[in-house]
Amino acid sequence: MKSFLRHPLVSSALGYLIWAYMVVCARTIRWQVEGEAGFRDAWKQEHGLIVAAWHSRILLIPAIWSKIARKLPAKSYQTAMLISLSRDGEAVAKAIEHLGLDSVRGSSTHKRKRKDKGGVAAIAETSRRLRKGSVVCITPDGPRGPAENVQAGPVLLAQRSGAAIIPYALAVRPAWRLDTWDRFMIPLPFSKGAMVIGEPLFIAKSESAGDGIAKTQQAIDAAHQRAESLISPTGRKG
């Protein structure tokens, strides 16, 4: 079954279906958005932007592009997502191409196999884009987790490129959650959604990786807590 799902033709078909579902969700979910003005201001700056959202929200991540970013001034490079070089990531890469987004392919090295899976090239390409002031979306807990735990990669990229990290939180109710390492979310069309875009976060080169990770974790967690409160039946909107 895995080999069937990873066949190029099947990946293309899955990519089209994922794209269609992304579009339906982005257009039909009743979004409440916070932080749009700050994001627009950050976009105007010369430094790059690392838009950081949890891996479980992959189907929702392009909503910020569909609703806000695609209408903003063009950058040196097309807005991109950092996606695993695996066959599984191929379908997602094809899906976002339909949306007009670019993809940077690569994943971290598997410690047991000691085989680089495009990670070095992906980091180099992402750094180049960020130094030119472009925008790259990253799942800071991917591609293997632990779920909703910031890894060192995005922090080091921010330090080396001078880019700002944009905490990006997405919450939807109702939604299905799969039995995967990240409890992958499948949003339902016409559901209630919240998109919270946090303030730009800069990680100084003098800061330790640990401090940078902790700061980023706190910012993304705060954004998610706010997003969840917005869709909660008893949550406050103010």
Side-chain angles (χ1 to χ4, degrees):
M1 178 60 73
K2 287 185 178 180
S3 60
F4 171 75
L5 292 175
R6 294 178 179 181
H7 188 279
L9 292 177
V10 177
S11 293
S12 295
L14 284 174
Y16 185 85
L17 291 174
I18 292 171
W19 162 74
Y21 199 78
M22 285 177 170
V23 170
V24 169
C25 289
R27 292 181 178 178
T28 64
I29 289 174
R30 292 170 287 122
W31 290 105
Q32 183 169 346
V33 181
E34 288 192 355
E36 180 176 348
F39 180 70
R40 288 178 177 274
D41 289 341
W43 186 281
K44 297 175 184 178
Q45 307 306 312
E46 294 184 357
H47 56 72
L49 300 178
I50 298 172
V51 179
W54 295 138
H55 191 276
S56 62
R57 270 68 170 177
I58 282 178
L59 290 178
L60 289 170
I61 286 174
I64 193 174
W65 168 254
S66 301
K67 294 188 69 65
I68 303 173
R70 70 186 311 160
K71 299 177 183 179
L72 297 178
K75 297 282 192 177
S76 299
Y77 287 90
Q78 190 175 8
T79 298
M81 286 182 64
L82 181 61
I83 299 173
S84 169
L85 199 57
S86 67
R87 288 283 189 180
D88 297 329
E90 185 68 21
V92 177
K94 290 182 181 299
I96 66 168
E97 286 177 9
H98 290 303
L99 291 170
L101 294 167
D102 202 0
S103 61
V104 178
R105 304 297 306 280
S107 64
S108 57
T109 301
H110 195 295
K111 292 181 179 179
R112 292 181 181 178
K113 296 182 179 180
R114 296 183 180 179
K115 181 181 179 181
D116 176 64
K117 294 186 178 181
V120 173
I123 292 299
E125 175 64 17
T126 302
S127 296
R128 181 162 46 248
R129 289 168 179 258
L130 292 173
R131 289 193 179 99
K132 290 290 186 178
S134 295
V135 182
V136 179
C137 186
I138 293 176
T139 54
D141 57 341
R144 298 185 181 87
E148 301 189 2
N149 277 258
V150 174
Q151 305 300 305
V155 172
L156 296 176
L157 275 171
Q159 286 182 309
R160 294 170 182 174
S161 67
I165 296 175
I166 304 293
Y168 177 37
L170 296 149
V172 170
R173 180 172 296 174
W176 291 321
R177 301 301 291 266
L178 302 184
D179 187 20
T180 57
W181 67 267
D182 60 348
R183 297 192 65 238
F184 191 84
M185 176 185 287
I186 300 180
L188 299 181
F190 303 99
S191 57
K192 182 179 181 181
M195 178 190 304
V196 175
I197 309 168
E199 292 294 323
L201 180 65
F202 291 93
I203 311 296
K205 291 184 178 180
S206 59
E207 289 187 68
S208 69
D211 287 344
I213 290 172
K215 182 187 294 185
T216 305
Q217 182 78 47
Q218 183 179 24
I220 298 177
D221 285 345
H224 268 276
Q225 289 170 8
R226 177 57 180 166
E228 291 291 344
S229 73
L230 291 174
I231 64 168
S232 172
T234 59
R236 295 180 302 172
K237 294 186 178 181

